[in-house]
């Protein structure tokens, strides 16, 4: 006896005990094979659309709806003419950037610094922390410099907001300098030549120890060398530096008054600068993580081109007279310095918390030191 069961979706009959069982099995295999082929085609087609047409994971965020050819990933600080040919080819010569936090009271000092950086090799940017811009117009280089004004803001506040790596990506080196520097014994072109030959990703000119305010002995000039990367002596604060010292400030260290960064190291340093901690205290001790390799080799002090650091107070006003300081009232300068110490502790705590909470982070510097010991 023959039993029938009708499937309402596929509209065909299944014979349980009939003579056409082989034909039924063949038909079912054909249906299943067709379904599998259609599924494979769907998934392959989807993959083609993702990998062959629009690799959205490689596009800058926000540009997903634009054709690739119109996306401009970076910018620069080159000023463009309002008239004349707009398609003039720009020079491919490698340039660097000098950025200085400047107040009008140090105009003469800043002018001397800028004149040490030839305009054919350097772009100049001034961060005006006192809001005065027009009084710089009489200097011959001023019209070709970038002027940014924000009252009572620090060098690091400006750098975080106006030196984004994608903006300064065309510059080989970033000189992020204070205004109170003497440059009589400094040559910018020779300096860049030296750091290239020595492979320094982060550096600074040595300080004349007889005329400068020196906070860390490693930054003082060594008369017998072209470049030095460490010291073997008692450093300020009671830290003993010996032949085995590999940590800042004995080795792999520059101070923050006149640092020079390769563009690769700056891309890392910019991310380390905290948006709300404008004094950047503590960042100098962590620069080794941005040295693009071994900080004891890639960070150094250039003795051949040295400067004077006068250590003049700027933000927070001048040092008050002794009679005023005896009043025991906190001065503006005191408040700035106190805030600097507070920010130092905040940064240290953030670093420790970030290390603790990031299970994927590997301390490459600590790992390399352990390998050297073994």
């Amino acid at each position: 006896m023959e039993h029938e069961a009708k499937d309402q979706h596929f509209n065909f009959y299944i014979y349980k005990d009939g003579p056409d069982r082989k034909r039924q099995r063949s038909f079912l295999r054909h249906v299943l094979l067709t379904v599998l082929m259609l599924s494979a085609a769907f998934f392959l087609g989807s993959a083609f659309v993702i990998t062959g047409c629009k690799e959205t994971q490689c596009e800058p965020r926000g540009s997903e709806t634009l054709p690739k050819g119109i996306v401009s990933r970076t910018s620069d600080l080159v000023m463009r003419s309002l008239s004349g040919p707009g398609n003039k080819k720009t020079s491919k010569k490698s340039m660097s950037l000098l950025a200085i936090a400047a107040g009008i009271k140090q105009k003469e000092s800043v002018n001397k610094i800028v004149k040490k950086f030839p305009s054919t090799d350097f772009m100049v940017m001034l961060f005006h922390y006192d809001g005065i811009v027009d009084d710089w117009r009489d200097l011959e280089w001023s019209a070709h410099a970038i002027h940014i004004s924000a009252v009572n803001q620090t060098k690091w506040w400006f750098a975080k907001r106006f030196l984004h790596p994608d903006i300064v990506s065309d510059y080989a080196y970033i000189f992020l300098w204070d205004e109170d520097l003497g440059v009589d014994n400094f040559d910018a072109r020779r300096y860049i030549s030296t750091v290239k030959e020595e492979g320094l990703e982060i550096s600074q000119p040595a300080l004349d120890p007889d005329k400068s305010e020196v906070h860390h002995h490693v930054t003082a000039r060594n008369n017998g060398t072209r470049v030095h990367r460490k010291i073997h002596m008692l450093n300020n604060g009671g830290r003993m530096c010996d032949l085995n010292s590999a940590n800042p400030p004995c080795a792999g260290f520059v101070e923050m008054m006149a640092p020079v960064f390769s563009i690769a190291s700056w891309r890392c340093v910019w991310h380390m600068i905290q948006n709300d901690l404008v004094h950047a205290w503590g960042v100098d001790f962590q620069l080794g993580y941005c040295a693009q390799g071994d900080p004891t080799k890639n960070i150094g002090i250039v003795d051949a081109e040295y400067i004077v650091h006068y250590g003049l107070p700027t933000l927070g006003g001048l040092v008050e007279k002794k009679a005023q300081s005896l009043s025991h009232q906190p001065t503006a300068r005191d408040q700035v310095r106190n805030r600097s110490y507070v920010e130092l502790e905040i940064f240290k705590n953030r670093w420790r918390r970030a290390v603790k909470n990031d299970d994927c982070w590997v301390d490459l510097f600590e790992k390399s030191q352990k390998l050297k010991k073994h």
Side-chain angles (χ1 to χ4, degrees):
M1 186 176 181
E2 203 171 62
H3 299 280
E4 297 180 352
K6 184 176 181 180
D7 189 302
Q8 296 179 355
H9 296 287
F10 291 95
N11 197 29
F12 62 82
Y13 292 93
I14 300 176
Y15 293 87
K16 295 183 179 179
D17 297 310
D20 298 326
R21 185 175 298 173
K22 290 184 179 179
R23 186 175 61 185
Q24 295 164 10
R25 286 200 296 265
S26 175
F27 179 74
L28 284 174
R29 284 198 298 269
H30 177 74
V31 171
L32 290 173
L33 181 62
T34 301
V35 171
L36 289 173
M37 291 179 65
L38 289 174
S39 300
F42 173 78
F43 287 114
L44 287 174
S46 300
F48 177 77
V49 170
I50 295 174
T51 61
C53 295
K54 192 72 172 178
E55 297 180 1
T56 56
Q57 67 271 21
C58 298
E59 296 300 311
R61 187 174 65 177
S63 70
E64 296 85 358
T65 59
L66 302 177
K68 291 182 181 179
I70 204 65
V71 175
S72 183
R73 293 173 177 264
T74 62
S75 187
D76 56 43
L77 300 175
V78 178
M79 290 187 282
R80 313 292 178 178
S81 174
L82 295 179
S83 60
N87 59 350
K88 183 179 179 180
K89 293 183 178 180
T90 57
S91 173
K92 293 297 182 181
K93 181 179 180 180
S94 177
M95 294 187 68
S96 295
L97 173 67
L98 169 65
I100 306 177
I104 196 61
K105 292 182 179 179
Q106 304 304 325
K107 180 179 178 180
E108 182 178 351
S109 174
V110 172
N111 186 37
K112 290 180 180 179
I113 294 173
V114 173
K115 285 185 174 181
K116 288 285 185 172
F117 291 78
S119 60
T120 55
D121 300 296
F122 294 90
M123 171 65 74
V124 175
M125 175 182 283
L126 292 192
F127 300 140
H128 298 279
Y129 60 77
D130 58 2
I132 300 174
V133 179
D134 289 344
D135 289 356
W136 295 81
R137 295 185 183 277
D138 61 316
L139 300 177
E140 58 183 348
W141 48 264
S142 179
H144 305 289
I146 305 295
H147 298 266
I148 299 176
S149 174
V151 177
N152 284 339
Q153 300 306 306
T154 70
K155 176 174 67 176
W156 301 102
W157 183 92
F158 283 104
K160 184 66 173 179
R161 286 150 183 82
F162 301 104
L163 296 183
H164 188 281
D166 288 345
I167 300 296
V168 298
S169 62
D170 282 345
Y171 301 102
Y173 293 91
I174 309 298
F175 290 69
L176 190 56
W177 281 18
D178 289 349
E179 61 186 341
D180 58 337
L181 304 176
V183 291
D184 290 344
N185 298 291
F186 177 83
D187 184 284
R189 284 175 174 161
R190 288 201 303 261
Y191 186 91
I192 286 185
S193 177
T194 299
V195 297
K196 284 183 178 179
E197 292 175 9
E198 294 284 344
L200 298 179
E201 297 286 338
I202 301 175
S203 63
Q204 76 163 77
L207 301 182
D208 185 332
D210 298 324
K211 300 179 181 179
S212 300
E213 180 178 331
V214 178
H215 298 133
H216 300 280
H217 289 310
V218 70
T219 63
R221 185 185 181 219
N222 186 339
N223 289 326
T225 60
R226 185 189 192 198
V227 168
H228 71 269
R229 294 171 170 82
K230 63 190 305 183
I231 58 170
H232 312 140
M233 61 183 297
L234 184 66
N235 198 22
N236 285 359
R239 300 181 182 91
M240 179 61 74
C241 300
D242 56 33
L243 289 173
N244 297 319
S245 298
N247 296 320
C250 298
F253 180 83
V254 300
E255 209 174 346
M256 304 301 260
M257 90 289 289
V260 180
F261 305 97
S262 70
I263 188 58
S265 66
W266 177 249
R267 183 169 289 277
C268 171
V269 172
W270 184 89
H271 286 90
M272 195 193 304
I273 299 171
Q274 304 293 287
N275 192 52
D276 58 327
L277 306 183
V278 296
H279 294 289
W281 280 29
V283 173
D284 47 2
F285 278 78
Q286 306 297 347
L287 289 179
Y289 293 98
C290 294
Q292 310 302 298
D294 187 345
T296 62
K297 296 179 179 178
N298 296 352
I299 298 179
I301 310 297
V302 178
D303 299 300
E305 306 298 328
Y306 60 99
I307 60 176
V308 176
H309 180 217
Y310 296 115
L312 300 177
T314 51
L315 293 174
L318 300 175
V319 177
E320 285 76 4
K321 295 179 181 180
K322 185 176 181 181
Q324 291 176 319
S325 63
L326 293 176
S327 66
H328 303 295
Q329 294 296 323
T331 65
R333 187 68 182 168
D334 292 334
Q335 292 173 347
V336 168
R337 183 162 291 275
N338 290 339
R339 179 60 194 175
S340 300
Y341 284 113
V342 169
E343 289 195 0
L344 173 61
E345 293 305 313
I346 294 174
F347 180 78
K348 287 180 178 179
N349 290 332
R350 284 183 184 176
W351 183 276
R352 286 191 288 263
R353 186 165 58 249
V355 170
K356 180 181 178 181
N357 294 336
D358 192 342
D359 295 331
C360 298
W361 185 73
V362 176
D363 192 335
L364 297 178
F365 179 61
E366 182 178 335
K367 182 178 180 181
S368 66
Q369 295 306 312
K370 289 181 179 179
L371 291 174
K372 286 181 181 180
K373 292 180 179 179
H374 293 294

